[in-house]
Amino acid sequence: FVLIWCLYITIRGYRSQAQEVRDAAPAALWTILAIALSLIANGTVRAVSGVACPWDTLYFGGTEPLSTPAGNLFSLSFHGKCWPSCFAGTAYSLFAVYFALRDSRPKIARIALISVAVLGTFFGFAQMGRGAHFFSHVIAAGTLDFAICAFLSPAMPLLGKIKWHPKANENPKTAPAPAAIPDSKIRKGTAGQA
Protein backbone atom coordinates (compact mmCIF):
# COMPACT_ATOMS: atom_id res chain seq x y z
CA PHE A 1 0.00 0.00 0.00
CA VAL A 2 2.81 2.41 0.88
CA LEU A 3 4.57 1.70 -2.41
CA ILE A 4 1.40 2.27 -4.41
CA TRP A 5 0.72 5.55 -2.60
CA CYS A 6 4.30 6.76 -3.13
CA LEU A 7 4.16 5.81 -6.80
CA TYR A 8 0.92 7.78 -7.15
CA ILE A 9 2.45 10.86 -5.48
CA THR A 10 5.55 10.59 -7.69
CA ILE A 11 3.50 10.44 -10.89
CA ARG A 12 1.19 13.23 -9.72
CA GLY A 13 4.25 15.30 -8.80
CA TYR A 14 5.58 15.02 -12.30
CA ARG A 15 2.27 15.90 -13.91
CA SER A 16 0.94 18.45 -11.44
CA GLN A 17 1.39 22.18 -11.42
CA ALA A 18 0.44 22.35 -7.72
CA GLN A 19 3.52 23.26 -5.68
CA GLU A 20 2.56 21.04 -2.71
CA VAL A 21 2.35 17.94 -4.87
CA ARG A 22 5.60 18.76 -6.69
CA ASP A 23 7.33 19.19 -3.32
CA ALA A 24 6.15 15.77 -2.13
CA ALA A 25 7.22 13.90 -5.27
CA PRO A 26 10.97 13.63 -4.53
CA ALA A 27 10.34 12.21 -1.05
CA ALA A 28 7.82 9.75 -2.49
CA LEU A 29 10.26 8.62 -5.18
CA TRP A 30 13.04 8.30 -2.59
CA THR A 31 10.72 6.21 -0.39
CA ILE A 32 10.03 3.82 -3.27
CA LEU A 33 13.74 3.44 -3.97
CA ALA A 34 14.69 2.99 -0.31
CA ILE A 35 12.01 0.36 0.28
CA ALA A 36 13.03 -1.50 -2.87
CA LEU A 37 16.73 -1.46 -1.95
CA SER A 38 15.97 -2.60 1.60
CA LEU A 39 13.95 -5.54 0.31
CA ILE A 40 16.62 -6.45 -2.24
CA ALA A 41 19.36 -6.24 0.40
CA ASN A 42 17.45 -8.45 2.83
CA GLY A 43 16.80 -11.05 0.15
CA THR A 44 20.39 -10.97 -1.10
CA VAL A 45 21.95 -11.34 2.34
CA ARG A 46 19.52 -14.14 3.11
CA ALA A 47 20.40 -15.93 -0.14
CA VAL A 48 24.11 -16.00 0.67
CA SER A 49 23.87 -16.77 4.38
CA GLY A 50 24.52 -20.24 5.70
CA VAL A 51 22.44 -19.70 8.83
CA ALA A 52 19.69 -22.25 9.30
CA CYS A 53 16.18 -21.62 10.55
CA PRO A 54 15.47 -22.92 14.06
CA TRP A 55 13.14 -25.66 12.80
CA ASP A 56 15.99 -26.97 10.59
CA THR A 57 18.58 -27.23 13.40
CA LEU A 58 19.49 -30.44 15.23
CA TYR A 59 18.49 -28.86 18.53
CA PHE A 60 14.86 -28.54 17.37
CA GLY A 61 14.62 -31.83 15.47
CA GLY A 62 16.10 -30.76 12.12
CA THR A 63 19.21 -31.93 10.31
CA GLU A 64 21.47 -28.86 10.26
CA PRO A 65 23.90 -27.71 12.94
CA LEU A 66 23.20 -24.53 14.88
CA SER A 67 25.30 -21.78 13.28
CA THR A 68 25.91 -18.07 13.58
CA PRO A 69 26.11 -15.44 10.84
CA ALA A 70 29.70 -14.62 11.80
CA GLY A 71 31.13 -17.80 10.33
CA ASN A 72 28.50 -18.61 7.72
CA LEU A 73 27.54 -15.33 6.11
CA PHE A 74 28.72 -16.14 2.59
CA SER A 75 27.97 -19.81 2.26
CA LEU A 76 27.72 -21.34 -1.16
CA SER A 77 25.98 -24.44 0.13
CA PHE A 78 22.26 -24.99 -0.14
CA HIS A 79 21.94 -25.14 3.64
CA GLY A 80 20.74 -22.27 5.78
CA LYS A 81 19.35 -19.31 3.85
CA CYS A 82 17.36 -18.09 6.85
CA TRP A 83 19.19 -14.99 8.12
CA PRO A 84 17.99 -12.20 8.32
CA SER A 85 14.24 -12.50 8.68
CA CYS A 86 12.68 -11.31 5.42
CA PHE A 87 9.19 -11.36 6.91
CA ALA A 88 10.18 -8.81 9.57
CA GLY A 89 12.48 -7.13 7.05
CA THR A 90 9.52 -6.35 4.84
CA ALA A 91 7.93 -4.37 7.67
CA TYR A 92 11.25 -2.79 8.65
CA SER A 93 11.75 -1.58 5.07
CA LEU A 94 9.08 1.00 5.90
CA PHE A 95 11.73 2.86 7.94
CA ALA A 96 12.03 4.75 4.66
CA VAL A 97 8.79 6.56 5.53
CA TYR A 98 10.43 7.92 8.69
CA PHE A 99 13.44 9.23 6.78
CA ALA A 100 11.24 10.73 4.06
CA LEU A 101 9.14 12.67 6.58
CA ARG A 102 11.62 13.54 9.34
CA ASP A 103 12.50 17.00 8.00
CA SER A 104 9.11 18.12 6.69
CA ARG A 105 6.78 16.50 9.24
CA PRO A 106 8.76 15.44 12.32
CA LYS A 107 5.77 14.46 14.47
CA ILE A 108 4.34 12.14 11.81
CA ALA A 109 7.86 10.82 11.17
CA ARG A 110 8.27 9.84 14.83
CA ILE A 111 4.90 8.09 14.75
CA ALA A 112 5.99 6.25 11.60
CA LEU A 113 9.30 5.26 13.23
CA ILE A 114 7.58 3.79 16.29
CA SER A 115 4.88 2.12 14.19
CA VAL A 116 7.40 0.48 11.89
CA ALA A 117 9.49 -0.74 14.82
CA VAL A 118 6.42 -2.25 16.49
CA LEU A 119 5.12 -3.78 13.24
CA GLY A 120 8.49 -5.31 12.34
CA THR A 121 8.92 -6.70 15.83
CA PHE A 122 5.39 -8.13 15.73
CA PHE A 123 6.13 -9.79 12.38
CA GLY A 124 9.37 -11.13 13.83
CA PHE A 125 7.66 -12.59 16.90
CA ALA A 126 5.08 -14.21 14.64
CA GLN A 127 7.87 -15.96 12.77
CA MET A 128 9.66 -16.89 16.00
CA GLY A 129 6.43 -18.44 17.26
CA ARG A 130 6.36 -20.67 14.19
CA GLY A 131 9.99 -21.67 14.73
CA ALA A 132 11.16 -19.94 11.56
CA HIS A 133 13.58 -17.43 13.12
CA PHE A 134 15.60 -16.56 16.17
CA PHE A 135 15.32 -13.08 17.67
CA SER A 136 18.76 -12.25 16.27
CA HIS A 137 17.37 -12.76 12.76
CA VAL A 138 14.68 -10.15 13.46
CA ILE A 139 17.16 -7.66 14.94
CA ALA A 140 19.48 -8.16 11.96
CA ALA A 141 16.66 -7.39 9.51
CA GLY A 142 15.70 -4.21 11.36
CA THR A 143 19.30 -3.04 11.66
CA LEU A 144 20.02 -3.71 8.00
CA ASP A 145 16.91 -1.86 6.79
CA PHE A 146 17.47 1.10 9.11
CA ALA A 147 21.12 1.35 8.03
CA ILE A 148 20.21 1.27 4.33
CA CYS A 149 17.60 4.01 4.75
CA ALA A 150 20.00 6.13 6.84
CA PHE A 151 22.74 5.67 4.26
CA LEU A 152 20.42 6.67 1.39
CA SER A 153 18.78 9.64 3.14
CA PRO A 154 21.38 12.22 2.00
CA ALA A 155 20.37 11.43 -1.60
CA MET A 156 16.80 12.67 -1.06
CA PRO A 157 17.58 16.38 -1.73
CA LEU A 158 19.19 15.38 -5.03
CA LEU A 159 15.83 14.09 -6.23
CA GLY A 160 14.37 17.52 -5.47
CA LYS A 161 16.52 19.02 -8.23
CA ILE A 162 14.63 17.09 -10.88
CA LYS A 163 12.36 19.34 -12.94
CA TRP A 164 9.10 17.57 -12.15
CA HIS A 165 6.82 19.49 -14.46
CA PRO A 166 7.87 21.11 -17.74
CA LYS A 167 5.82 24.23 -17.01
CA ALA A 168 6.59 24.37 -13.28
CA ASN A 169 9.14 27.17 -13.50
CA GLU A 170 7.49 29.07 -16.29
CA ASN A 171 6.57 32.67 -15.46
CA PRO A 172 2.92 33.33 -16.42
CA LYS A 173 3.82 36.85 -17.61
CA THR A 174 6.29 35.48 -20.14
CA ALA A 175 4.13 32.53 -21.19
CA PRO A 176 3.03 32.59 -24.82
CA ALA A 177 -0.34 34.20 -25.38
CA PRO A 178 -3.20 32.03 -26.60
CA ALA A 179 -3.73 32.00 -30.32
CA ALA A 180 -6.10 34.64 -31.63
CA ILE A 181 -9.46 33.59 -33.05
CA PRO A 182 -9.51 34.15 -36.81
CA ASP A 183 -12.03 36.68 -38.12
CA SER A 184 -13.72 34.02 -40.22
CA LYS A 185 -14.71 32.13 -37.03
CA ILE A 186 -16.29 35.16 -35.38
CA ARG A 187 -19.90 35.69 -36.33
CA LYS A 188 -22.08 38.49 -35.34
CA GLY A 189 -23.63 37.78 -31.94
CA THR A 190 -21.57 34.61 -31.29
CA ALA A 191 -18.27 36.14 -30.16
CA GLY A 192 -16.94 34.42 -27.05
CA GLN A 193 -19.14 31.32 -27.41
CA ALA A 194 -17.73 27.94 -28.27
Side-chain angles (χ1 to χ4, degrees):
F1 177 74
V2 172
L3 285 174
I4 293 170
W5 180 249
C6 289
L7 185 60
Y8 171 76
I9 294 295
T10 302
I11 292 169
R12 287 283 301 175
Y14 176 73
R15 299 181 68 204
S16 177
Q17 291 189 22
Q19 185 66 36
E20 292 172 350
V21 178
R22 280 197 321 268
D23 290 344
L29 177 60
W30 181 88
T31 303
I32 293 170
L33 296 174
I35 289 172
L37 288 174
S38 295
L39 295 174
I40 290 169
N42 262 318
T44 303
V45 171
R46 183 183 177 124
V48 298
S49 78
V51 180
C53 297
W55 57 34
D56 291 333
T57 61
L58 292 170
Y59 188 75
F60 294 104
T63 58
E64 297 187 32
L66 190 61
S67 59
T68 64
N72 296 308
L73 185 56
F74 296 107
S75 172
L76 297 177
S77 71
F78 292 105
H79 302 290
K81 314 295 185 238
C82 196
W83 182 89
S85 170
C86 281
F87 194 67
T90 301
Y92 286 134
S93 70
L94 296 176
F95 277 134
V97 174
Y98 162 73
F99 284 98
L101 296 175
R102 70 179 175 167
D103 293 333
S104 61
R105 301 188 150 211
K107 186 175 181 180
I108 295 174
R110 284 190 297 273
I111 292 169
L113 177 67
I114 293 167
S115 300
V116 168
V118 168
L119 182 66
T121 304
F122 176 76
F123 280 14
F125 276 109
Q127 290 295 84
M128 288 186 308
R130 293 180 52 226
H133 290 290
F134 292 114
F135 189 61
S136 62
H137 299 190
V138 176
I139 296 298
T143 304
L144 179 64
D145 287 346
F146 190 87
I148 288 169
C149 292
F151 179 75
L152 293 175
S153 66
M156 197 178 329
L158 298 175
L159 294 176
K161 296 181 190 252
I162 297 173
K163 188 175 181 182
W164 289 99
H165 193 278
K167 297 179 183 177
N169 297 326
E170 192 174 276
N171 186 351
K173 293 180 182 176
T174 60
I181 301 172
D183 290 334
S184 62
K185 299 268 184 179
I186 300 176
R187 296 185 190 162
K188 190 174 188 175
T190 60
Q193 295 179 0

